[in-house]
């Protein structure tokens, strides 16, 4: 692994064994290590203000932890057979592992009190075997005054898949990158319940086709992915 560090005013001098001054996170396919566990060694000058060296990671990479966050299924769920079949056909589509396609995203929308959450949870339970690496769930509180902050949700999701709180980076963009790296190649179902809008949802979408997403909202969310199927309940 190669790291590049720009250091103004260094004059091109070689650096060895120095610890980073500011926190950072390295994202790998299976985990992340905070900057306090990373050192740069064997560096050499590659220009007046640029040094390149190998990154050494101390300690074990965080193992994958399979989340099981779905609320309890509805025992006497009945009806909705047509929408349920349609939803299953969308989310059970065959994908190419490691491909560039986005994950299938199903948006379930309709008026308050008609059973969107019950439908989504029942659907998610039907899909647990297919998404055996885990299921993530969050109530985004989109209809409430205090909506869930995507950055906070990402921290909770990262903790659920084995990233310790101390290794979660600061900032929405950094958390989003680590989240997608952590889920890459994994079969994980993400249920985003009671979403407000696309802006709240987008940071929480995985990046690979092996995952899938179910969203419930009072409004249609046509721009969450391309394509983004929607089922009206």
């Amino acid at each position: 692994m190669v790291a590049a560090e720009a250091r103004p005013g260094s004059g091109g001098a070689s650096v060895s064994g120095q610890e980073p001054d500011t926190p950072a996170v390295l994202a790998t396919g299976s985990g992340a290590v905070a900057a306090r566990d990373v050192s740069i060694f064997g560096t050499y000058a590659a220009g007046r203000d640029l040094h390149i060296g190998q990154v050494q990671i101390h300690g074990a990479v965080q193992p994958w932890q399979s989340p099981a966050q779905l609320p309890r299924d509805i025992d006497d769920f009945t009806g909705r057979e047509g929408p349920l079949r349609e939803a299953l056909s969308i989310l059970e589509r065959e994908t190419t592992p490691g491909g560039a396609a986005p994950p299938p995203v199903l948006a379930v929308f309709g008026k308050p009190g008609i059973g969107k959450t019950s439908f989504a949870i029942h659907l998610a339970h039907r899909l647990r075997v297919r998404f055996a690496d885990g299921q993530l769930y969050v109530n985004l509180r989109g209809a409430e005054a205090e909506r869930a902050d995507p950055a906070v949700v990402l921290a909770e999701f990262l903790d659920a898949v084995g990233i310790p709180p101390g290794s979660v980076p600061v900032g929405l963009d950094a958390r989003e990158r680590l989240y997608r790296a952590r889920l890459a190649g994994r079969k994980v179902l993400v249920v985003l319940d009671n979403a407000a809008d696309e802006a709240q949802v987008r940071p929480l979408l995985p990046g690979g086709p092996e995952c899938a997403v179910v969203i419930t909202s009072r409004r249609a969310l046509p721009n969450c992915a391309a394509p983004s199927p929607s089922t009206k309940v």
Side-chain angles (χ1 to χ4, degrees), residues 90-222:
I90 292 169
L91 299 175
E92 290 182 330
R93 74 182 188 188
E94 294 299 325
T95 60
T96 302
V105 178
L106 179 79
V108 181
F109 66 97
K111 296 179 180 180
I114 61 172
K116 299 183 297 295
T117 295
S118 297
F119 177 87
I121 291 173
H122 182 70
L123 171 65
H125 277 277
R126 291 277 297 267
L127 293 165
R128 281 189 305 169
V129 174
R130 182 175 182 83
F131 295 95
D133 287 322
Q135 306 87 41
L136 294 166
Y137 171 87
V138 64
N139 179 2
L140 294 174
R141 306 192 304 274
E144 300 179 20
E146 292 190 14
R147 302 172 179 176
D149 184 342
V152 175
V153 175
L154 284 172
E156 295 171 351
F157 278 179
L158 288 169
D159 181 50
V161 297
I163 301 296
S167 295
V168 174
V170 176
L172 177 61
D173 291 345
R175 292 180 181 183
E176 185 178 347
R177 289 193 297 269
L178 179 56
Y179 168 68
R180 288 177 177 162
R182 185 66 164 168
L183 266 59
R186 301 282 184 179
K187 293 184 177 182
V188 177
L189 179 64
V190 182
V191 180
L192 307 175
D193 193 15
N194 194 16
D197 50 33
E198 288 92 341
Q200 187 186 36
V201 165
R202 280 188 177 277
L204 308 177
L205 299 179
E210 298 88 355
C211 295
V213 183
V214 177
I215 306 167
T216 72
S217 179
R218 293 186 179 183
R219 52 180 292 186
L221 303 174

Side-chain angles (χ1 to χ4, degrees), residues 14-123:
S14 178
V15 179
S16 178
Q18 292 191 359
E19 294 286 338
D21 295 329
T22 57
V25 170
L26 295 176
T28 69
S30 58
V33 182
R36 61 177 176 272
D37 297 325
V38 177
S39 62
I40 299 176
F41 68 97
T43 59
Y44 59 92
R48 188 178 65 181
D49 295 324
L50 182 66
H51 297 272
I52 298 177
Q54 188 174 6
V55 174
Q56 183 179 31
I57 300 178
H58 306 288
V61 174
Q62 300 299 333
W64 173 260
Q65 179 175 300
S66 297
Q69 296 186 335
L70 295 180
R72 182 177 176 179
D73 195 6
I74 307 299
D75 294 332
D76 57 351
F77 184 91
T78 58
R80 311 286 192 192
E81 292 301 325
L84 188 61
R85 283 194 301 270
E86 180 183 356
L88 288 171
S89 69
I90 292 169
L91 299 175
E92 290 182 330
R93 74 182 188 188
E94 294 299 325
T95 60
T96 302
V105 178
L106 179 79
V108 181
F109 66 97
K111 296 179 180 180
I114 61 172
K116 299 183 297 295
T117 295
S118 297
F119 177 87
I121 291 173
H122 182 70
L123 171 65

